[in-house]
Amino acid sequence: MSESLHFAEHRLQEIALLVMACVYAIRIFWLTRYKAGRDRQMPTGPPDTNKKKGILYSLMNIMMPWAMESTRKHFIIYSQFIVFHLGVTFAILMSFLIPYAPDTMKPVWVIYLFQVVIGAAFIVGIFRIIRRFSKKVMRAISTPDDYFSLILITTWFLTAFLSVPNKPENGETIMIIYFWLTAFFLIYVPFSKISHYLYYPFTRYYLGRTMGHRGVFPLRGSRQSK
Amino acid sequence: MKERSYKANLLIEGMAKKLNRQMVGSLVACVHCGMCTESCHYVLTNPDDPTYAPAYKADRMRKIFKRHYDWTGRVFPWWVGAKSIFTDEELEELKDISFGKCTNCRRCSINCPMGVDFATFNRALRGLLVSVGVMPEGVAVVSKDQWEIGNQMGVLPEDYIDTLDWLSEEMQSEFDDETAVIPIDKLDADIVYTINPREVKYDPRTISDAAKIFHIAGENWTMPSEGWDMTNFGLFSGDDALGGAVAIRVYEKLKELRGKKLVISECGHGYRSTRCEGPNWAGIDQDFIMESSVFTMLNYIKEGKIKVDKSKNTGSYTFHDSCNNARSCGLYEEPRELLNLVVSDFREMYPNRNENYCCTGGGGAMSMSEYTSRRLKSAKVKADQLKATGANIVVTSCHNCVDGLTDLIKHYDLKMEVKQLVNLVANALVIPEKITAPEVPTVEIKKAPLAGRKILVVDDEPDILVFFKSVLEDNGAIVFEASNGEDAISIALKEKPELMTLDINMPGKDGGWVFENLRRNPEIASTKVCIITGRPELRRLIYDRPVPMPEGYLDKPVDPDTLLFNVRKILEVG
Ligand code: SF4
Ligand code: SF4
């Protein structure tokens, strides 16, 4: 392994992780500096709902595509969302496994698994890019960061897909690009919309608390009456 | 550097006070995925216009927030879509989006995978705009009424009491029972009943229906002489100070009367404001019981305090969930339970409950006449929903929805009627033996009650003139007509009518001019005036004049019963 690849796999990742952790900590501190509003009224809604149930429901909501009309009606987009985020998880996991537990990446089935998931995520990334550029409403709500983040991650998927076999002897370039992109990704995340997963627990927690207290969560949806 | 207007500066500074953790979370968490887009009724009816998309509308406030309160937007504004505002024209654009393209129905909020609650921060944006004086005229007028007169329709205390007395008399004669009255300011009542001022002005039958139910249930109840308006325009205008003041007015009156429970008549915005938001705006913890009258009526039936016969309510019924009830207070099962107890043919509307579409008159939209065409266009979604049920009556537990639905039913020619649960429960009541009710109930109009009364109808629309004239003449009045300001004054001088119904918006000399000239001319100054306008924001033209106020106000469209009720009230015809 060349020194460049070793640096990209180890020191570069450590620096990037450290920077990301610091910026994250600052972001969380910034958010928590704002006072949380609270509900002073007595609870409303069905007796079997409450704040706790609302919070739990809200946080689990993303795993219940049937719960929201938006995910029910757009199940394909929801499935793409799952695949895309699984791809992110696998590609990040790989950035730890290759340098620190390379043996885990050796079995053929593991290579296939990573390639299938990351490859599928790459295809979803392409679809998402097309959707963002081609739909009028998506263009109207997109910022340069939205386009850049999506293209960045989709490219990163491609390099991750090609790096899965972890065979520097067959050429290091793609792996170096993958690790540099991973580092850039880690540093860039807190400054971009990709940091949404940092806010996700906050927004869903507070929405769940509010809606649970009011008996709106868990959502009852559209039901046939008795 | 670009210079910023005084108002724009104030709005940016004011934002700091509005921000809390929930709101900041919603402002930073949007990933622009577009999943919420189709949950909005405005988008569904304007598919080619992306400016109606919830995320697009939300970004108008998000941009300012990012530019001034989020360092990513301070450092890389263009990159993250941060943008400040500088001019008053930009504030007007914000107003157009915040008030004119969103009813704060919260449907997008429950459809966002990230948990972004746009409706909540759109309300905050409205509040910021209101704080710098940028708002639709109707919002200004109604807010002013609620601050100054104590209710959002400018009902004067004497009119409110008169109406209750009048309804009491009706009830006494209906039941032939001296005790069948609407108690006012009774101490230690078990229930203090609060209403929407619309009920006093346009729909007194809902008050008498509720009174009838309380009477038959043997309830120890009262209505307060003040603090009776449970609606709260602070919800729509985003003005928390108004929200808190109005809520406190209601809560304090309950305490002053030593009432045990506050019952809120059927109104989505009133229920949400008084029950679910009021304590937060007022900064006090709720320490007494408040409930919607839907619960009260349902419990009466369950406890056997009243008996109902559902065969009295003929026809087919569907139910429209008010956004404020269903998506902000969890009130959606009880109205259905009650409805099923008082009608036989109930047909569910889809989608329903938390997922129901807005009546499109929510968020104060009914008072913003400048957006009427937009509102009615977006109402196509609701019209299709209604039509698909095949029902001929739509029931709703919200006064605002009654108006919104009535308007769209007329616009889309749906041949449906709108009713509230209180009407159906009252109609289905089985009157116990000892309380005998006559065959023809409530607000029965005597034959020609206006016989010989001279009324001058002033309006530039020929259809309105014909309509008012026929309703009033059918009831015995001698009607004169004028289609412009000058004619109105000369006919008034010649015929000396007792009452003038006056449109405000007329070409040439408008209603404001007529009103002032009438009041300033000693010969005709005592003529009673009822302003009837389709543009409530123009009531300012009347308010601002240094002459005694008119005796009544009505908003168009007006139905024959409402017209007659108000004319009789002003002329003190029993
Ligand atoms: S508000 Fe929610 S659903 Fe709508 S674009 Fe933003 S993240 Fe997506
Ligand atoms: S709150 Fe309702 S009207 Fe406003 S954007 Fe969301 S869905 Fe549309």
Side-chain angles (χ1 to χ4, degrees):
Chain A
M1 183 194 300
S2 72
E3 238 178 61
S4 318
L5 181 57
H6 187 269
F7 171 77
E9 281 187 11
H10 292 85
R11 188 51 52 85
L12 182 63
Q13 299 308 309
E14 285 149 19
I15 295 168
L17 277 168
L18 192 70
V19 172
M20 187 188 80
C22 290
V23 184
Y24 269 3
I26 294 169
R27 282 305 263 180
I28 297 280
F29 175 71
W30 170 76
L31 187 59
T32 51
R33 257 188 19 211
Y34 288 100
K35 234 178 122 201
R38 72 181 178 95
D39 281 316
R40 290 168 175 272
Q41 79 281 19
M42 291 175 189
T44 46
D48 60 337
T49 60
N50 56 39
K51 273 186 196 168
K52 275 192 194 149
K53 282 191 183 167
I55 293 167
L56 194 68
Y57 173 83
S58 184
L59 289 167
M60 306 298 282
N61 186 275
I62 203 66
M63 287 184 265
M64 299 184 282
W66 60 88
M68 284 189 298
E69 183 195 77
S70 55
T71 44
R72 241 183 1 244
K73 279 194 177 168
H74 299 282
F75 189 70
I76 297 200
I77 296 185
Y78 174 78
S79 314
Q80 289 179 2
F81 155 85
I82 296 289
V83 171
F84 191 83
H85 285 82
L86 273 178
V88 173
T89 315
F90 273 66
I92 288 190
L93 185 65
M94 198 172 83
S95 74
F96 287 95
L97 292 179
I98 290 179
Y100 303 111
D103 288 349
T104 49
M105 294 296 291
K106 284 216 171 106
V108 178
W109 70 267
V110 175
I111 294 176
Y112 280 157
L113 177 69
F114 273 70
Q115 283 199 319
V116 166
V117 173
I118 297 171
F122 169 72
I123 294 168
V124 167
I126 299 287
F127 276 125
R128 286 183 154 202
I129 293 171
I130 295 170
R131 181 167 174 261
R132 198 166 280 281
F133 275 98
S134 63
K135 286 192 86 176
K136 206 170 170 185
V137 69
M138 294 303 287
R139 284 199 306 273
I141 61 175
S142 298
T143 62
D145 173 42
D146 292 321
Y147 293 109
F148 179 74
S149 299
L150 186 53
I151 293 169
L152 171 74
I153 296 182
T154 308
T155 314
W156 178 60
F157 282 149
L158 181 64
T159 62
F161 176 81
L162 297 172
S163 303
V164 173
N166 189 19
K167 294 224 164 45
E169 59 276 21
N170 294 346
E172 289 184 345
T173 318
I174 201 69
M175 290 186 75
I176 292 176
I177 297 174
Y178 162 66
F179 280 106
W180 272 94
L181 271 183
T182 307
F184 178 75
F185 175 64
L186 294 176
I187 293 171
Y188 178 67
V189 165
F191 302 96
S192 82
K193 65 98 97 111
I194 310 172
S195 58
H196 63 273
Y197 62 86
L198 183 72
Y199 307 122
Y200 177 83
F202 281 88
T203 47
R204 293 248 45 126
Y205 172 89
Y206 285 114
L207 187 71
R209 201 181 73 167
T210 305
M211 296 303 215
H213 190 65
R214 288 151 192 257
V216 180
F217 278 2
L219 291 171
R220 306 287 152 139
S222 298
R223 282 187 286 138
Q224 184 69 51
S225 88
K226 303 162 245 174
Chain B
M1 196 162 137
K2 225 171 163 184
E3 201 159 314
R4 188 172 284 120
S5 78
Y6 175 70
K7 285 182 179 180
N9 239 332
L10 270 188
L11 183 131
I12 293 164
E13 281 168 25
M15 194 178 277
K17 290 188 211 106
K18 288 261 177 198
L19 296 173
N20 62 20
R21 201 177 301 162
Q22 285 94 324
M23 214 182 289
V24 172
S26 282
L27 284 163
V28 291
C30 178
V31 288
H32 293 142
C33 67
M35 289 294 275
C36 55
T37 308
E38 283 164 27
S39 38
C40 179
H41 54 277
Y42 283 105
V43 174
L44 296 177
T45 44
N46 298 278
D48 294 324
D49 185 348
T51 67
Y52 285 100
Y56 180 89
K57 295 182 267 194
D59 274 357
R60 300 314 99 190
M61 176 162 170
R62 188 170 282 125
K63 280 172 181 295
I64 306 169
F65 164 79
K66 283 197 171 171
R67 187 70 187 92
H68 295 276
Y69 295 97
D70 180 347
W71 62 271
T72 59
R74 284 205 196 118
V75 183
F76 325 102
W78 175 77
W79 191 248
V80 297
K83 199 164 172 265
S84 189
I85 38 158
F86 293 91
T87 64
D88 290 353
E89 287 72 44
E90 287 172 302
L91 291 176
E92 287 294 322
E93 282 165 24
L94 275 180
K95 176 188 94 176
D96 188 69
I97 295 249
S98 182
F99 287 97
K101 290 189 171 178
C102 173
T103 55
N104 276 356
C105 75
R106 232 175 185 175
R107 202 166 189 276
C108 55
S109 307
I110 63 155
N111 274 298
C112 168
M114 287 298 297
V116 171
D117 190 1
F118 166 54
T120 296
F121 71 79
N122 190 49
R123 181 178 171 272
L125 176 60
R126 286 181 174 199
L128 287 168
L129 290 163
V130 165
S131 72
V132 298
V134 178
M135 67 195 110
E137 276 293 307
V139 172
V141 170
V142 181
S143 301
K144 186 173 186 280
D145 278 348
Q146 204 154 26
W147 273 119
E148 293 175 4
I149 305 177
N151 64 82
Q152 60 154 302
M153 285 193 179
V155 176
L156 298 173
E158 54 274 26
D159 286 345
Y160 168 71
I161 300 292
D162 276 359
T163 305
L164 297 189
D165 287 347
W166 185 70
L167 293 172
S168 276
E169 283 165 25
E170 295 270 352
M171 197 158 76
Q172 282 174 323
S173 71
E174 181 183 337
F175 288 112
D176 193 19
D177 179 355
E178 283 299 304
T179 66
V181 289
I182 298 176
I184 301 173
D185 281 351
K186 183 172 156 192
L187 291 175
D188 299 311
D190 291 331
I191 281 178
V192 174
Y193 187 57
T194 52
I195 56 167
N196 182 318
R198 181 187 170 278
E199 298 181 66
V200 184
K201 253 189 140 155
Y202 302 110
D203 202 2
R205 209 188 123 202
T206 54
I207 307 175
S208 53
D209 281 349
K212 209 165 31 162
I213 295 166
F214 287 135
H215 175 66
I216 292 176
E219 187 60 80
N220 171 22
W221 73 296
T222 190
M223 287 184 74
S225 59
E226 288 162 4
W228 51 268
D229 178 7
M230 50 63 176
T231 68
N232 195 324
F233 217 69
L235 179 70
F236 300 152
S237 68
D239 181 352
D240 290 344
L242 175 62
V246 172
I248 284 181
R249 216 180 264 161
V250 175
Y251 305 155
E252 284 188 345
K253 190 66 191 178
L254 174 102
K255 291 192 173 163
E256 184 193 312
L257 295 176
R258 303 193 300 257
K260 294 195 183 57
K261 193 197 294 180
L262 186 76
V263 171
I264 300 155
S265 77
E266 280 177 274
C267 177
H269 125 242
Y271 184 60
R272 180 174 172 195
S273 304
T274 307
R275 175 68 182 82
C276 301
E277 311 289 359
N280 305 319
W281 295 329
I284 51 169
D285 292 318
Q286 183 190 341
D287 57 358
F288 56 91
I289 307 288
M290 293 190 253
E291 72 179 21
S292 159
S293 61
V294 172
F295 291 91
T296 319
M297 293 187 283
L298 185 59
N299 287 337
Y300 285 163
I301 298 178
K302 283 181 173 173
E303 290 162 9
K305 287 187 176 170
I306 57 171
K307 294 214 170 359
V308 283
D309 171 5
K310 56 165 83 172
S311 68
K312 290 187 180 180
N313 287 319
T314 51
S316 50
Y317 296 81
T318 188
F319 185 74
H320 161 80
D321 290 278
S322 123
C323 304
N324 285 316
N325 279 341
R327 267 192 293 278
S328 285
C329 295
L331 176 60
Y332 42 78
E333 292 304 348
E334 291 79 3
R336 283 178 173 75
E337 199 180 341
L338 181 55
L339 186 55
N340 274 304
L341 289 171
V342 292
V343 304
S344 314
D345 184 356
F346 170 57
R347 304 162 184 199
E348 192 61 272
M349 178 170 3
Y350 290 94
N352 56 56
R353 297 176 170 80
N354 321 109
E355 292 184 346
N356 192 31
Y357 284 106
C358 179
C359 69
T360 65
M366 296 307 288
S367 61
M368 306 172 204
S369 55
E370 57 270 60
Y371 306 128
T372 302
S373 58
R374 237 184 243 179
R375 170 170 61 80
L376 286 170
K377 187 177 177 196
S378 77
K380 171 85 172 48
V381 177
K382 191 83 238 172
D384 289 345
Q385 252 192 306
L386 290 172
K387 211 192 286 174
T389 65
N392 50 29
I393 297 158
V394 52
V395 182
T396 185
S397 277
C398 174
H399 280 281
N400 207 49
C401 296
V402 170
D403 285 340
L405 293 171
T406 306
D407 220 17
L408 78 88
I409 283 171
K410 207 166 121 203
H411 185 77
Y412 289 97
D413 198 16
L414 292 184
K415 316 257 177 309
M416 283 180 99
E417 240 187 291
V418 190
K419 288 199 170 160
Q420 293 199 274
L421 282 162
V422 69
N423 308 132
L424 299 173
V425 174
N427 194 50
L429 278 176
V430 176
I431 316 254
E433 283 296 305
K434 56 183 169 55
I435 308 171
T436 42
E439 289 290 294
V440 187
T442 59
V443 204
E444 198 238 335
I445 294 159
K446 285 189 225 151
K447 250 190 209 159
L450 302 173
R453 314 299 286 258
K454 286 180 169 183
I455 301 173
L456 169 58
V457 178
V458 186
D459 204 300
D460 62 320
E461 286 180 54
D463 288 357
I464 301 270
L465 287 177
V466 172
F467 167 60
F468 284 8
K469 188 171 191 278
S470 62
V471 171
L472 297 170
E473 280 185 348
D474 284 353
N475 284 277
I478 302 163
V479 180
F480 307 100
E481 296 166 74
S483 55
N484 61 59
E486 278 107 348
D487 286 358
I489 293 295
S490 64
I491 296 173
L493 282 165
K494 192 169 154 228
E495 303 294 346
K496 306 276 176 342
E498 287 173 74
L499 169 69
M500 176 189 283
T501 71
L502 179 59
D503 183 22
I504 303 182
N505 191 22
M506 294 186 290
K509 306 286 186 205
D510 63 20
W513 178 89
V514 176
F515 180 65
E516 187 163 351
N517 275 275
L518 184 92
R519 285 287 194 254
R520 288 196 185 283
N521 189 328
E523 262 191 77
I524 45 175
S526 61
T527 311
K528 292 180 171 161
V529 175
C530 181
I531 302 293
I532 305 185
T533 175
R535 299 185 57 191
E537 70 275 17
L538 294 181
R539 277 156 40 181
R540 242 189 198 168
L541 290 174
I542 303 292
Y543 270 131
D544 294 347
R545 294 182 191 263
V547 289
M549 298 280 274
E551 281 69 19
Y553 283 111
L554 278 177
D555 291 339
K556 285 180 193 165
V558 52
D559 61 69
D561 287 348
T562 307
L563 175 68
L564 214 51
F565 168 74
N566 279 273
V567 167
R568 289 174 67 195
K569 202 160 69 131
I570 295 169
L571 294 177
E572 293 167 8
V573 178

